[in-house]
Amino acid sequence: MLIAMDAQHQLVNAATADRQIEYYCPGCVQPVRLKRGGSDRATFCPRPCHGL
Ligand SMILES: [Zn+2]
């Protein structure tokens, strides 16, 4: 997923997200973790959810 929600319920793009901050799925409010590995495209774990 490329969009997640922070503790202030702001939607954040993975590309501009901060690794230090906890993010949640906007759909099911499950905690998601920022993943910025070898690829240049940052995403949120675990997997695409709600079409995000
Ligand atoms: Zn979800």
Side-chain angles (χ1 to χ4, degrees), residues 5 11 28 36 38 45:
M5 192 173 71
L11 292 177
C28 59
R36 198 178 284 154
C45 282

Side-chain angles (χ1 to χ4, degrees), residues 1 24-30 32 46-52:
M1 69 202 298
Y24 306 89
C25 172
C28 59
V29 200
Q30 295 255 29
V32 293
R47 59 176 184 270
C49 198
H50 317 287
L52 300 169

Side-chain angles (χ1 to χ4, degrees), residues 1-46:
M1 69 202 298
L2 297 175
I3 301 287
M5 192 173 71
D6 68 13
Q8 282 77 46
H9 294 191
Q10 302 283 334
L11 292 177
V12 178
N13 193 296
T16 59
D18 189 333
R19 274 188 102 102
Q20 314 295 324
I21 295 175
E22 200 91 50
Y23 293 100
Y24 306 89
C25 172
C28 59
V29 200
Q30 295 255 29
V32 293
R33 213 155 279 276
L34 184 62
K35 194 178 197 174
R36 198 178 284 154
S39 78
D40 30 337
R41 181 148 133 158
T43 60
F44 289 105
C45 282

